[in-house]
Amino acid sequence: MRLLVVEDEKDLNKLISERLREERYIVDSCYDGNEAYDFIHNMDYDGVILDVMLGGIDGFSLLKKIRSEKNFTPVMILSAKDKKHDIIYGLDQGADDYMVKPFDFEVLLARVRAMLRKSVGIRENTYRVGDLEINVNEQTVTRQGKRITLTPKEYSILLYMVRNKNIVLKREQIELNIWEMDRIGNSNVVDVFIRYLRKKIDDDFEPKLIHTVRGVGYCLSWDGENNEDKREEAQS
Amino acid sequence: MKTKEKKPKARFRNLSIFKYVISFVIVIIAVVCFVTVATIEIIVRRAIPDEVRRELSTENRQVLKTVKCVDGEIVVEDYKTDYEGYDFAIVDEEGNCVVGELPKGVSNTNPDEGMYFFGDVKTPEGVVYVKRDLVRPDDFRQMSSGKRYCIYGFIKEANVSTVYNKIRMTSLIIIITLFVLLGLFILDITKRMIKPIDKMYETAMKVSDSMDFAERIEEESIFVEINALIHAYNELFERIRITYDMQKRFNSDVSHELKTPIAVMSAQCQVAKQKYTHDDAAIEMITVLERQTNIMNDLVTQLLQLSRIENDSIEFYSEPVNMVDLVDVVCEDIEISFDGFNAFDKKVDVEEILGNNVLIFTIVRNLVSNAVRYNTNNNPIQIRVYAEGDDMVLKVKDHGIGIAKEELPIVFDAFYRGEKSRSSEGFGLGLTLTKRIVDCYGGKITVDSELGKGSEFVVRMPVSYIKD
């Protein structure tokens, strides 16, 4: 899952980003409001951690601007402004959460998890597609009740695909959301992982969950028929 | 471009200091010993005859004191010599021995010619020193006739034992011991000097292999000059480490910060393309922008990957890698990137190993795409993966333009590109990256090539297999 950290103090920014990366999130960093707007506007983020006092446009204005453009990327405000009216104003502008600095890292991480799961409309930390279940708390995967062991990267890809079920995902999209550093430009190492995933979650089960959309990418869906339409749609 | 290398003279190449010093010391000691011993020998050889001559004279005189003439017969009364090995003979004018016998080979010579002869005479029994003295008439207490006699005192050379001989022996022993000690001393000093140098060499090699500039030379020498050198070396390592770390961090930071802006640019291009579908000129411009952005993205990605590997922040053995699947996907991927090229002759005899998919994918893909890039006439690309002992061997062979001999050593250098590269794709980082990854796995990559015939890259790296 891809997060954006907007924080003008470079050291703190680096600290937060590194900590999030340890949790296997993909993290981009930026240091002023205008830059942050470009990023949010052009990239798909699963969540944004936003400081209020920024160069360029400030955090509140930025939030107002993206919400006015119907961009509903989850946003958590992380600010030293701890006055009641600031918190109220921030949340009313469309922030999903508000955290006051100084903050506790563990709490921040828990709130990030909550924010991310809310955006796909679940309340428990379990994702389901048909008979496939992913328990995020325990990081376990089962299909038809059978436990499936995945490597961290396979798990990340599966989770990403499940979070975006029924959507045709391009290889680059998967790559961008699963790993940033190990990425090889213009290549399809994703295909290797999809092969591994298929062996584990599809080979011994029916119906198949992972579908190839030729020339585009992959789609994870439970209903096979719907999928045919999507594929044709994507190809046209 | 060929540069003429200055070659040192052959006889001064690759000498080991230790061996050099050893041979030097041995030669010097041998020469000095020889000269000294020879000098002593010469002196002694001159001194010995003098001494012998003196001794023989004395003894001769002693003998004559005890000689009597009884009835014309000459008799020697109980004579005792102090000179060991001394013997004598008294000879008359006709050459007949009156008393004693002359040693064989010593002939009586006319007493007239040189009354006091002394010399060394070669006999079948070795060299004999001979001293002849004339017997004066008053030497016999009772002279019977006017006959003239002479006395021969002689001693075999072998029996000559003089103080000089002792000096010769002693000085010989002293000199040899002295020089042997001196030699050992010099060797010891040399060893002590060389040991830190060896250690420095070892450390330098270790550093150059592992690129770990935190390594230090711990050795201490008793010599201040060498300590200064070690200190300078360590200082140098520290400087390099700081610079290297800075550069690594710089690379990593810059590439990382460039990635998102590039991604934004790329996304904007796609949006713009959709927006201006009917404006051909705009589409063309945007396409150029997009292509260049993608190129930039690849470069930044590779730089980032390189710096990540150099920072050791990648897990090298984190997951199972299925070589069969991986090689398949690489081939499919190449087929898409290179206009449907699919002449692969592949044989993968290794199933699952423990590694990092992305890194191993990078190795295989870089080698295969390289092979395809420099291949000619759709010749098949040969891909072999097999186990050899504890190693996994990956061979990628093309039948393309090949690499010139003088370029072989630099193909793994950053930003090297074959001159006749078919396309302008690539930055010359591919093989550098590949080599770095193989190095990190503790493997070796080699290339064998012939101009016009093609190249073969061989990766050999230790792997652990996954056993079910």
Side-chain angles (χ1 to χ4, degrees):
Chain A
M1 279 172 277
R2 199 173 183 88
L3 301 177
L4 177 69
V5 175
V6 189
E7 166 65 64
D8 62 344
E9 203 184 308
K10 291 206 172 189
D11 288 337
L12 180 60
N13 194 324
K14 202 164 183 177
L15 207 66
I16 299 175
S17 311
E18 290 301 324
R19 187 69 184 86
L20 288 168
R21 275 185 200 120
E22 280 172 30
E23 299 294 315
R24 298 193 167 272
Y25 293 109
I26 308 302
V27 185
D28 290 334
S29 304
C30 65
Y31 311 105
D32 79 61
N34 291 326
E35 203 185 353
Y37 173 75
D38 287 343
F39 283 18
I40 297 169
H41 186 69
N42 286 291
M43 311 279 289
D44 287 332
Y45 287 107
D46 295 293
V48 178
I49 294 172
L50 181 66
D51 189 15
V52 174
M53 277 162 333
L54 293 168
I57 56 172
D58 67 87
F60 288 146
S61 314
L62 173 64
L63 184 59
K64 201 169 166 183
K65 191 171 170 187
I66 61 168
R67 290 298 185 240
S68 71
E69 287 171 0
K70 302 270 178 282
N71 183 326
F72 301 122
T73 307
V75 173
M76 176 196 292
I77 291 176
L78 181 65
S79 169
K81 284 174 175 268
D82 56 354
K83 297 283 180 317
K84 197 161 74 177
H85 62 268
D86 287 322
I87 299 174
I88 295 169
Y89 183 73
L91 290 172
D92 282 349
Q93 289 306 316
D96 294 76
D97 201 350
Y98 197 111
M99 252 190 115
V100 174
K101 285 189 225 170
F103 61 94
D104 185 286
F105 259 118
E106 295 308 313
V107 176
L108 177 76
L109 293 175
R111 288 192 168 192
V112 167
R113 283 196 294 272
M115 180 170 85
L116 293 176
R117 111 192 137 216
K118 244 186 285 175
S119 62
V120 286
I122 56 170
R123 290 293 171 273
E124 46 173 357
N125 276 341
T126 304
Y127 294 90
R128 289 194 183 83
V129 178
D131 51 11
L132 179 80
E133 254 182 43
I134 303 177
N135 184 321
V136 180
N137 285 346
E138 290 165 15
Q139 304 215 337
T140 54
V141 179
T142 53
R143 192 163 179 200
Q144 291 172 10
K146 275 184 206 149
R147 176 82 175 268
I148 295 164
T149 317
L150 298 180
T151 66
K153 277 193 188 116
E154 291 163 358
Y155 175 82
S156 303
I157 293 177
L158 185 64
L159 184 60
Y160 176 71
M161 292 180 85
V162 168
R163 275 174 65 85
N164 297 282
K165 59 184 174 189
N166 302 329
I167 300 172
V168 177
L169 299 167
K170 290 183 194 164
R171 291 184 177 87
E172 297 83 61
Q173 257 176 308
I174 299 177
E175 259 194 321
L176 275 174
N177 282 281
I178 303 310
W179 56 86
E180 46 181 348
M181 308 294 216
D182 305 357
R183 210 172 90 81
I184 308 167
N186 272 353
S187 77
N188 297 335
V189 68
V190 167
D191 293 352
V192 179
F193 290 103
I194 296 287
R195 275 189 183 223
Y196 297 165
L197 261 183
R198 279 193 160 141
K199 277 188 187 165
K200 288 179 177 173
I201 66 163
D202 269 352
D203 273 11
D204 301 334
F205 304 98
E206 286 296 335
K208 307 296 180 205
L209 290 175
I210 299 174
H211 309 278
T212 308
V213 184
R214 262 198 82 83
V216 183
Y218 299 97
C219 175
L220 187 139
S221 63
W222 173 247
D223 187 348
E225 282 172 39
N226 262 346
N227 202 46
E228 292 295 325
D229 303 340
K230 287 214 174 292
R231 265 183 261 170
E232 271 159 33
E233 200 178 293
Q235 270 173 330
S236 62
Chain B
M1 209 176 67
K2 281 180 189 172
T3 46
K4 272 189 185 171
E5 267 183 50
K6 257 192 180 174
K7 277 188 185 163
K9 279 184 193 165
R11 54 187 286 240
F12 288 128
R13 244 184 325 179
N14 278 335
L15 275 181
S16 143
I17 298 185
F18 195 63
K19 282 183 192 156
Y20 186 76
V21 170
I22 284 188
S23 33
F24 202 73
V25 164
I26 287 178
V27 167
I28 294 259
I29 285 182
V31 167
V32 172
C33 274
F34 179 76
V35 169
T36 324
V37 168
T39 315
I40 291 175
E41 189 67 28
I42 289 170
I43 293 173
V44 166
R45 285 210 174 187
R46 293 197 171 188
I48 286 179
D50 273 358
E51 160 137 348
V52 171
R53 175 207 194 111
R54 239 184 350 263
E55 291 282 345
L56 289 179
S57 279
T58 317
E59 292 301 321
N60 281 355
R61 225 161 311 125
Q62 290 286 332
V63 170
L64 289 182
K65 276 182 189 165
T66 63
V67 171
K68 277 188 205 162
C69 193
V70 182
D71 305 332
E73 288 279 303
I74 291 176
V75 178
V76 180
E77 284 183 340
D78 44 299
Y79 161 77
K80 267 183 191 164
T81 177
D82 291 335
Y83 197 41
E84 211 178 306
Y86 168 80
D87 211 349
F88 67 96
I90 296 174
V91 179
D92 65 11
E93 280 174 312
E94 283 85 41
N96 300 320
C97 288
V98 186
V99 179
E101 269 180 37
L102 282 175
K104 274 178 200 162
V106 178
S107 60
N108 181 32
T109 43
N110 191 349
D112 286 334
E113 48 169 62
M115 286 197 288
Y116 302 104
F117 167 85
F118 172 74
D120 44 357
V121 180
K122 275 182 192 136
T123 69
E125 285 163 28
V127 177
V128 174
Y129 288 106
V130 178
K131 173 84 173 88
R132 183 177 67 187
D133 285 315
L134 199 63
V135 179
R136 284 176 307 228
D138 55 329
D139 279 335
F140 299 137
R141 267 173 256 164
Q142 295 172 353
M143 278 298 279
S144 59
S145 61
K147 260 189 181 176
R148 291 208 295 181
Y149 298 91
C150 52
I151 178 165
Y152 283 84
F154 47 87
I155 184 167
K156 282 183 187 161
E157 195 194 31
N159 290 337
V160 173
S161 142
T162 70
V163 69
Y164 292 106
N165 264 339
K166 279 174 197 152
I167 290 176
R168 176 161 63 182
M169 279 317 288
T170 332
S171 51
L172 202 70
I173 291 168
I174 290 176
I175 286 167
I176 289 178
T177 328
L178 212 66
F179 280 111
V180 165
L181 284 179
L182 184 69
L184 289 176
F185 178 64
I186 291 176
L187 290 187
D188 183 57
I189 289 185
T190 319
K191 247 187 194 162
R192 279 170 196 249
M193 264 162 45
I194 289 190
K195 206 179 155 211
I197 294 178
D198 276 349
K199 190 79 192 169
M200 282 161 73
Y201 166 78
E202 255 170 46
T203 314
M205 286 313 286
K206 216 157 118 190
V207 166
S208 108
D209 276 355
S210 67
M211 300 295 266
D212 176 13
F213 294 106
E215 194 80 35
R216 291 290 175 271
I217 302 162
E218 309 287 357
E219 194 73 20
E220 280 232 346
S221 167
I222 54 167
F223 300 106
V224 66
E225 289 88 349
I226 291 187
N227 277 338
L229 189 58
I230 291 175
H231 184 70
Y233 242 71
N234 283 340
E235 201 87 319
L236 179 69
F237 284 158
E238 178 61 16
R239 288 277 171 94
I240 296 176
R241 188 186 66 79
I242 292 172
T243 320
Y244 188 66
D245 280 359
M246 254 166 58
Q247 190 218 332
K248 277 203 295 197
R249 212 172 319 126
F250 176 80
N251 272 353
S252 164
D253 286 357
V254 165
S255 340
H256 198 252
E257 304 226 338
L258 279 174
K259 274 198 77 82
T260 320
I262 291 173
V264 169
M265 283 160 68
S266 166
Q268 279 288 11
C269 288
Q270 285 173 15
V271 174
K273 247 182 171 173
Q274 279 162 13
K275 197 163 180 185
Y276 301 103
T277 30
H278 303 298
D279 188 340
D280 284 350
I283 291 283
E284 199 176 310
M285 284 193 280
I286 294 164
T287 312
V288 172
L289 277 179
E290 194 178 17
R291 194 166 55 229
Q292 293 306 318
T293 313
N294 284 340
I295 291 175
M296 203 147 80
N297 187 40
D298 286 355
L299 176 59
V300 170
T301 307
Q302 285 187 332
L303 281 175
L304 191 59
Q305 217 178 0
L306 208 57
S307 72
R308 273 260 289 174
I309 289 170
E310 262 149 34
N311 280 335
D312 290 333
S313 43
I314 282 187
E315 292 165 322
F316 287 97
Y317 301 99
S318 56
E319 54 196 16
V321 177
N322 186 314
M323 290 309 290
V324 180
D325 285 346
L326 195 137
V327 171
D328 274 356
V329 171
V330 168
C331 293
E332 284 167 19
D333 189 21
I334 297 285
E335 193 176 338
I336 297 165
S337 310
F338 288 86
D339 308 325
F341 177 93
N342 65 354
F344 296 110
D345 162 22
K346 60 185 181 213
K347 190 159 178 284
V348 182
D349 296 328
V350 175
E351 276 258 322
E352 281 206 326
I353 59 168
L354 203 59
N356 176 317
N357 278 290
V358 179
L359 295 182
I360 298 192
F361 189 90
T362 307
I363 296 176
V364 181
R365 190 188 191 278
N366 281 343
L367 292 183
V368 176
S369 74
N370 229 43
V372 176
R373 185 168 303 141
Y374 296 104
N375 196 22
T376 46
N377 305 332
N378 274 7
N379 283 319
I381 305 290
Q382 206 182 68
I383 304 170
R384 293 282 179 274
V385 183
Y386 56 91
E388 202 177 85
D390 290 337
D391 291 349
M392 179 177 81
V393 182
L394 164 70
K395 277 188 184 172
V396 179
K397 188 176 181 182
D398 66 58
H399 300 279
I401 57 173
I403 304 166
K405 238 192 191 118
E406 57 270 22
E407 288 188 356
L408 277 179
I410 57 165
V411 290
F412 297 110
D413 290 356
F415 300 106
Y416 163 83
R417 283 173 66 188
E419 272 177 47
K420 293 157 207 151
S421 176
R422 264 211 312 206
S423 65
S424 58
E425 200 188 314
F427 312 97
L429 278 177
L431 282 178
T432 313
L433 188 58
T434 308
K435 184 174 176 356
R436 278 303 295 156
I437 298 174
V438 174
D439 285 349
C440 286
Y441 273 106
K444 280 253 176 317
I445 181 166
T446 50
V447 55
D448 193 14
S449 184
E450 203 177 321
L451 261 187
K453 287 199 171 165
S455 319
E456 183 179 45
F457 284 84
V458 180
V459 172
R460 198 175 287 272
M461 56 191 232
V463 290
S464 31
Y465 299 96
I466 291 170
K467 283 158 197 152
D468 290 322

